[in-house]
C-alpha cells in the first residue's frame, strides 16, 4: 500500500478570487488537495469550492494585518477526483490589502478502499529565520501515511529550505519540497509546501513543523496526513428461512475508527440496523450484525457511518442485495425464526378513540384522546404441516409478544411489527392446509438493544459433530460468527 505524490498545479494569486489549475495526472480516483494561503483585515476564511471538502483552516495570530506582517491563514480543501472535474474557485470578501493564493496537489494510491485524512496546525510567533511551529491536535500515525506540510507566511521574500516534520516516536522519510512561492498580491505572503512519508511508528503525537527561512518571519504551518483507507462494508444473505442479512464493517482498527452506525437503505429511506447505532468499536477491527427485518423483493444496501478518533465521519456502502421469498412471512426477527404464509384478508385496520359526548345547552361537545394504534385481524393460510408447525412455534415463543409481518414483495402500508392479542387455528381434515386468524395491534419495533440472532449453537451442531472438527475449520471465534451455517 503506497501513496504517491503525482504533481502540483501552477500558483494562482489575487486580491479576492482564485481558480488554481489542476496539474497533469488529475485523473479519476486520485485525491486533489487545494492548499490556500490567505490574508484579510477581518481574517476571513476562503470559501469552500463547489464539490470540495474543507479539512482545516488555521491562521497565525501575531501582529496586525499589513504588508509583510500580521496573520496569514493556511487552509486545506480536498476532493476525490471523478475524471470530469472543474478547477476549484475560492474567494475572500473584499478587504483592504486582502490576498489569496493557492495550488492544487494531486496524490495517487496503490490500494485501500478509499481516502482518509486528518490535519493539525500551529504557528511560530517569534520572528526569525529558524521557523518552528508546534501543531495541535495530536494525530495518529502509521507506517505508509503520506504527509503534506504547508506554510503560510506574511513575508513574501522569506524563501524556505530544510523543511522538516517531527513527532515523538514516529520516523518520517525524506522531506521533499513541493512549492515555495512569493505571493505579491495585496499585502503579500509566502506559500510553501513539502511532503514526506511515515517510515516507522505507529504513534499518536502532535507534530512540529520547521524550516529555515531566508528572511525573518512569523507565520502558520500545518500538516495534512493522508492515509489509504482499509474500512469496508460487506453484506450477504444467509442461507436460512426467512432470509437474514449478515452485515459486517471491517478494517476499522487501521482507520482509527471508534464508533460505527449501520443503516439499511431502500431508495432514499435509511433505517438503523438493530443494535448497531453508535457502537463503540475502539480497538476492534470488525463490527458484525444480523439484519432480520429487511424488506422482501426490493433492492437494498447498507451504509456504515464511521467516526474516527479525531471526530471526523466517513461513510462506506455495501453492495446491493435483494431478499427473495416464495411466500408472505410471519417471523420473530429477534430469534430469527419464521413461517411461510399466504395473507388472505383485506388490509382492514380499525382504530378507536377514547371519547365522551356531552350535551351542553343543546350543543354537542366531544372530548377525547388521540386515535389508538390500528388493530387488524389477519387471516393467513399455511399449506404444509411443516409451515403450520413453524407458525405455531413462532406464535408460541414471540419475543415480547411481537411478530413481524412482511409481504412477499414489500408492501410498506402492511409490513411491520404487530403485538399478538389472540389467534385461532382452523386446519382442514382432508389436506395439510390450515387457516390462522390472528388478532393484532400495530406496535413499535423491539428496543434497539435487542440484537437480532445470527446462527445459533444448534445451527453449528447441525453442521459439526465434534469440537475438534469445528476447531480445524475455524481459527478464531470471529470466523465462526462470519460463517454461513445454513
Amino acid at each position: 500500500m503506497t501513496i504517491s505524490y503525482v504533481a502540483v498545479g501552477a500558483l494562482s494569486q489575487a486580491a479576492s478570487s482564485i481558480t488554481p489549475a489542476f496539474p497533469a495526472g488529475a485523473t479519476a480516483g486520485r485525491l486533489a488537495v487545494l492548499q490556500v494561503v490567505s490574508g484579510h483585515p477581518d481574517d476571513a476564511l476562503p470559501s469552500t469550492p463547489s464539490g470540495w471538502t474543507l479539512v482545516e483552516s488555521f491562521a497565525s495570530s501575531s501582529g496586525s494585518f499589513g504588508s509583510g506582517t500580521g496573520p496569514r491563514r493556511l487552509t486545506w480543501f480536498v476532493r476525490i477526483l471523478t475524471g470530469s472535474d472543474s478547477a476549484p474557485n475560492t474567494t475572500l470578501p473584499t478587504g483592504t490589502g486582502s490576498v489569496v493564493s493557492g495550488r492544487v496537489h494531486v496524490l495517487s494510491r496503490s490500494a485501500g478502499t478509499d481516502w482518509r485524512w486528518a490535519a493539525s496546525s500551529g504557528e511560530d510567533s517569534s520572528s526569525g529565520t529558524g521557523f518552528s511551529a508546534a501543531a495541535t491536535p495530536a494525530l495518529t500515525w502509521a507506517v505508509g501515511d503520506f504527509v503534506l506540510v504547508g506554510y503560510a507566511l506574511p513575508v513574501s521574500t522569506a524563501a524556505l529550505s530544510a523543511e522538516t516534520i517531527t513527532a515523538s516516536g514516529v520516523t518520517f522519510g525524506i522531506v521533499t519540497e513541493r512549492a515555495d512561492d512569493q505571493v505579491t498580491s495585496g499585502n503579500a505572503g509566502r506559500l510553501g509546501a513539502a511532503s514526506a512519508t511515515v517510515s516507522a511508528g505507529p504513534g499518536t503525537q502532535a507534530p512540529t513543523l520547521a524550516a529555515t527561512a531566508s528572511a525573518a518571519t512569523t507565520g502558520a504551518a500545518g500538516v495534512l496526513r493522508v492515509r489509504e483507507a482499509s474500512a469496508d462494508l460487506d453484506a450477504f444473505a444467509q442461507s436460512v428461512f426467512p432470509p437474514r442479512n449478515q452485515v459486517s464493517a471491517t478494517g476499522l482498527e487501521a482507520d482509527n475508527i471508534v464508533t460505527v452506525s449501520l443503516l439499511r437503505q431502500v431508495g432514499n429511506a435509511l433505517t438503523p440496523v438493530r443494535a448497531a447505532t453508535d457502537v463503540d468499536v475502539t480497538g476492534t477491527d470488525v463490527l458484525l450484525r444480523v439484519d432480520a427485518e429487511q424488506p422482501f423483493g426490493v433492492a437494498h444496501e447498507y451504509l456504515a457511518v464511521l467516526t474516527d478518533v479525531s471526530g471526523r465521519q466517513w461513510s462506506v456502502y455495501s453492495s446491493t442485495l435483494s431478499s427473495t421469498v416464495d411466500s408472505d412471512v410471519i417471523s420473530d426477527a429477534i430469534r430469527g425464526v419464521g413461517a411461510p404464509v399466504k395473507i388472505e384478508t383485506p388490509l382492514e385496520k380499525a382504530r378507536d378513540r377514547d371519547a365522551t359526548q356531552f350535551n351542553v345547552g343543546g350543543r354537542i361537545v366531544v372530548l377525547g384522546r388521540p386515535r389508538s394504534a390500528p388493530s387488524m385481524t389477519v387471516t393467513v393460510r399455511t399449506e404444509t404441516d411443516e409451515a403450520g408447525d413453524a407458525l405455531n412455534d413462532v406464535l408460541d415463543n414471540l419475543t415480547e409478544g411481537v411478530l413481524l409481518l412482511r409481504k412477499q414483495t414489500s408492501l410498506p402500508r402492511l409490513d411491520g411489527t404487530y403485538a399478538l392479542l389472540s389467534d385461532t387455528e382452523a386446519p382442514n381434515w382432508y389436506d395439510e392446509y390450515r387457516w390462522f386468524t390472528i388478532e393484532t395491534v400495530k406496535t413499535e419495533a423491539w428496543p434497539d438493544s435487542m440484537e437480532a440472532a445470527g446462527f445459533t449453537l444448534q445451527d453449528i451442531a447441525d453442521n459439526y459433530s465434534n469440537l475438534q472438527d469445528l476447531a480445524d475449520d475455524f481459527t478464531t471465534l470471529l470466523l465462526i460468527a462470519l460463517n454461513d451455517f445454513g
Side-chain angles (χ1 to χ4, degrees), residues 473-484:
D473 282 355
F474 302 100
T475 56
T476 68
L477 293 175
L478 177 60
L479 291 177
I480 296 177
L482 290 169
N483 192 64
D484 185 351

Side-chain angles (χ1 to χ4, degrees), residues 262-302:
L262 302 178
L263 303 101
R264 182 194 329 115
Q265 182 164 347
V266 181
N268 293 323
L270 287 170
T271 304
V273 174
R274 179 160 304 286
T277 299
D278 293 331
V279 179
D280 185 349
V281 294
T282 304
T284 303
D285 200 46
V286 177
L287 175 67
L288 173 66
R289 289 293 184 267
V290 173
D291 182 18
E293 297 166 87
Q294 78 279 13
F296 296 141
V298 297
H300 54 277
E301 58 188 350
Y302 291 90

Side-chain angles (χ1 to χ4, degrees), residues 5-346:
Y5 189 89
V6 176
V8 61
L11 176 73
S12 179
Q13 61 171 306
S16 62
S17 179
I18 57 171
T19 306
F22 285 113
T27 56
R30 290 178 170 175
L31 184 70
V33 179
L34 173 57
Q35 176 188 358
V36 177
V37 171
S38 61
H40 191 274
D42 297 327
D43 193 25
L45 272 68
S47 64
T48 300
S50 177
W52 291 67
T53 299
L54 169 63
V55 179
E56 186 177 62
S57 189
F58 177 86
S60 56
S61 59
S62 60
S64 298
F65 179 66
S67 179
T69 186
R72 294 298 185 271
R73 177 173 290 277
L74 173 66
T75 304
W76 302 108
F77 301 104
V78 296
R79 175 179 172 86
I80 300 173
L81 297 173
T82 64
S84 58
D85 309 272
S86 299
N89 174 260
T90 181
T91 63
L92 288 176
T94 300
T96 302
S98 68
V99 55
V100 59
S101 60
R103 281 182 180 260
V104 177
H105 307 266
V106 173
L107 311 178
S108 67
R109 59 182 172 90
S110 63
T113 58
D114 206 343
W115 294 94
R116 297 286 183 265
W117 50 78
S120 184
S121 300
E123 69 172 310
D124 186 342
S125 57
S126 299
S127 182
T129 57
F131 184 92
S132 181
T136 56
L139 300 178
T140 61
W141 304 98
V143 174
D145 284 350
F146 186 87
V147 178
L148 194 59
V149 182
Y151 300 85
L153 311 179
V155 179
S156 65
T157 57
L160 295 169
S161 62
E163 296 92 338
T164 61
I165 175 173
T166 56
S168 178
V170 180
T171 302
F172 298 89
I174 296 172
V175 178
T176 303
E177 185 176 275
R178 301 299 182 180
D180 187 17
D181 298 312
Q182 184 175 16
V183 179
T184 57
S185 299
N187 279 341
R190 192 94 188 177
L191 181 153
S195 68
T197 300
V198 175
S199 57
T204 302
Q205 300 291 341
T208 296
L209 313 170
T212 299
S214 63
T217 186
T218 59
V223 58
L224 181 69
R225 189 216 67 202
V226 184
R227 180 178 295 173
E228 291 176 314
S230 62
D232 203 359
L233 186 63
D234 299 315
F236 70 88
Q238 295 180 333
S239 53
V240 292
F241 182 88
R244 293 175 293 183
N245 293 334
Q246 190 176 85
V247 187
S248 55
T250 60
L252 306 177
E253 200 164 9
D255 283 358
N256 304 124
I257 303 301
V258 294
T259 62
V260 175
S261 293
L262 302 178
L263 303 101
R264 182 194 329 115
Q265 182 164 347
V266 181
N268 293 323
L270 287 170
T271 304
V273 174
R274 179 160 304 286
T277 299
D278 293 331
V279 179
D280 185 349
V281 294
T282 304
T284 303
D285 200 46
V286 177
L287 175 67
L288 173 66
R289 289 293 184 267
V290 173
D291 182 18
E293 297 166 87
Q294 78 279 13
F296 296 141
V298 297
H300 54 277
E301 58 188 350
Y302 291 90
L303 164 67
V305 179
L306 314 173
T307 305
D308 68 17
V309 68
S310 63
R312 189 172 295 276
Q313 285 197 332
W314 314 90
S315 297
V316 292
Y317 281 87
S318 73
S319 56
T320 300
L321 300 176
S322 183
S323 301
T324 58
V325 289
D326 296 326
S327 64
D328 307 322
V329 176
I330 290 178
S331 62
D332 182 334
I334 304 302
R335 295 174 55 229
V337 297
V341 300
K342 176 68 175 178
I343 299 174
E344 296 204 329
T345 53

Side-chain angles (χ1 to χ4, degrees), residues 353-369:
R353 183 169 182 261
D354 186 7
T356 303
Q357 177 178 288
F358 300 92
N359 188 326
V360 181
R363 183 180 179 184
I364 303 301
V365 177
V366 177
L367 297 177
R369 297 182 178 181

